[in-house]
Structure formats: structure tokens, C-alpha cells
Amino acid sequence: MLKNKSYIGISFVILVFGIYAIPKIVNRFQNNEIVKGDRLDKVSNATVDNGKLEKIGPAPQFELVNQDNSKINNETYKGKVYVLEFFFTTCPSICPKMNQSMLQIEKTFFGNPNFGIVSITIDPEHDTPSVLKEHRELLGVKSSNWNFLTGDKTYIFDLSNKGFNLYAGENSKVRGGFEHSGLFALIDKNGDIRCRKDDYGNPILYYDGLDKKGVRDIQQDIAILLKE
């Protein structure tokens, strides 16, 4: 008899809990709130970007000549935020897209004396200062802080592959005869390479100059560095 009363009591409690709780649980599912517990909130809040960019380290030292045959080096850009790329003027594949991405970045920050762009050719035997000047004019570059640089091929390849760790190489089997990365490096006013983190909290190192999101991200981060 006592056992039966215990079962009846437990059943009554379960029934009351169900009447009270189940509609609330269903409502949370319908409103997509089922994952918004206190514990999960703390985890998600820990990954929110605080606007600070990662410091990767100092940009490699370089000295090359530009489209006007003037020497350009790291000191030229001291106190400026700048974006750096490796390209070549006769590139039939990714360079035109990279050029357009850089033009978009130039337009966004045009007139700001604290911003600049560096484009270094990986085909210096063809891309002489005069060729680079013609290419610059063809693109319609307006900023005096956007320099197109050339110099010794071995020096440039070492700067790309060993200095920035951005791949560049010769390959007779591909159109144009050269292969290279489509990534952009972002350097701050102190000469340090900077970047944001990916969705997993890892530094991205460089920005994809062939991707709309990559170009948008680097513009947002340029604005952050200009305020530092």
C-alpha cells in the first residue's frame, strides 16, 4: 500500500513538472534559445574580437628602386601603415585581380599621408623602373605613397620566400613563367607585421588579396592601425 502511494506521489510530481516545464522548453527551441545557457555564453564571449591585432614580428629589411629609379626602403615607410605584395606586370592570372584589390584599398585611404602601398615585382629582368612606371600609369594609381619596386632577382626572391615567407618562384610550365602568392602583408607604423585572428583564434598572418572578404578585412584592420 505504501509503495503504491509513493508511486502515485512521484507520478504527480512528474506530471506537475511536465505541465510547467515542457512548454518553456518547447518555446526555447522555437526561439532558438536552447544553446544560450550561462556556460555557453561565457565560452562565446571569450572569442569576441577586442579590436586588437596580432603582432607577428618586424617586417624584413629591404631596399629597392621604384618606378622613378629612386631608392625605397623600410625607412621610407616609417611612421606609416602600409600593405605589401609581390607581383609582376605581365602576369596573366592572379595579378590583375590583385591590382584591382589594391586600387580599391588605395581609393579607401587616398589622401591619408600615413598610409602607403608597396608592390614588388618578381620579374625584375622585364620589370625595369620605366616598365613599372608605365604599369603604374596604366592602372591609374594616384597615391604618391604607392611604390612599384624592382631590383636584383635573387634578392627579391629571398625577400619574398625567406623574409616574408610568401611564395614566389619561376615555373616554365605555367602561363607567365612565374608563380607567386596572392596574399597581402599588413605592416604598422613601427614596421611590424600585423594581422587579425581567424575563427579559431589563430593569427591569419596575411590577407587574401583575391578574396572580397580578405580585402574587406584588411581595410578594416588598416583603419585600426591608423588610429594607433
Side-chain angles (χ1 to χ4, degrees):
M1 188 69 175
L2 289 173
K3 286 184 178 179
N4 289 338
K5 288 183 178 180
S6 297
Y7 287 137
I8 291 170
I10 292 169
S11 298
F12 179 74
V13 171
I14 292 172
L15 178 62
V16 172
F17 175 80
I19 292 172
Y20 174 78
I22 289 176
K24 292 181 176 292
I25 294 172
V26 171
N27 185 58
R28 289 185 73 191
F29 269 112
Q30 290 175 340
N31 293 315
N32 198 29
E33 295 178 350
I34 198 66
V35 297
K36 293 183 180 178
D38 292 339
R39 188 176 178 187
L40 290 178
D41 282 345
K42 289 175 182 176
V43 172
S44 61
N45 288 341
T47 62
V48 172
D49 185 8
N50 60 9
K52 300 261 185 172
L53 299 179
E54 289 293 298
K55 185 183 293 185
I56 305 304
Q61 294 294 311
F62 66 87
E63 182 170 279
L64 296 160
V65 296
N66 71 358
Q67 66 280 347
D68 297 316
N69 218 18
S70 298
K71 286 185 179 181
I72 302 293
N73 54 36
N74 305 72
E75 286 297 309
T76 307
Y77 286 88
K78 188 174 182 180
K80 291 179 172 57
V81 176
Y82 65 101
V83 180
L84 182 144
E85 67 170 346
F86 292 89
F87 87 114
F88 62 109
T89 62
T90 57
C91 173
S93 54
I94 66 174
C95 290
K97 175 61 176 174
M98 293 170 69
N99 288 160
Q100 291 305 309
S101 296
M102 280 298 193
L103 285 168
Q104 183 179 335
I105 294 170
E106 179 206 34
K107 183 178 180 181
T108 300
F109 298 98
F110 181 72
N112 191 322
N114 296 319
F115 175 72
I117 298 174
V118 175
S119 297
I120 303 175
T121 180
I122 60 171
D123 185 15
E125 292 176 357
H126 175 271
D127 292 342
T128 60
S130 60
V131 169
L132 291 176
K133 188 168 188 174
E134 184 180 350
H135 182 74
R136 188 178 189 276
E137 292 171 354
L138 186 63
L139 289 177
V141 173
K142 297 178 180 179
S143 174
S144 59
N145 286 331
W146 185 348
N147 284 288
F148 291 78
L149 307 183
T150 188
D152 177 76
K153 182 192 288 188
T154 300
Y155 178 89
I156 290 173
F157 272 55
D158 283 347
L159 179 65
S160 179
N161 292 308
K162 299 177 183 179
F164 282 95
N165 200 27
L166 290 171
Y167 174 69
E170 290 187 87
N171 187 345
S172 60
K173 296 181 180 179
V174 301
R175 290 192 306 147
F178 292 88
E179 295 177 313
H180 64 99
S181 165
L183 301 176
F184 294 164
L186 177 59
I187 296 105
D188 67 17
K189 296 175 183 177
N190 297 317
D192 290 314
I193 298 172
R194 302 284 291 276
C195 72
R196 62 172 56 194
K197 293 180 180 180
D198 63 18
D199 294 337
Y200 302 98
N202 302 310
I204 65 169
L205 301 183
Y206 300 114
Y207 298 78
D208 190 347
L210 304 173
D211 177 70
K212 288 183 179 179
K213 182 182 183 303
V215 176
R216 183 177 68 247
D217 288 349
I218 198 171
Q219 289 183 90
Q220 292 173 352
D221 294 348
I222 290 167
I224 290 172
L225 293 182
L226 285 171
K227 292 178 182 178
E228 287 189 350

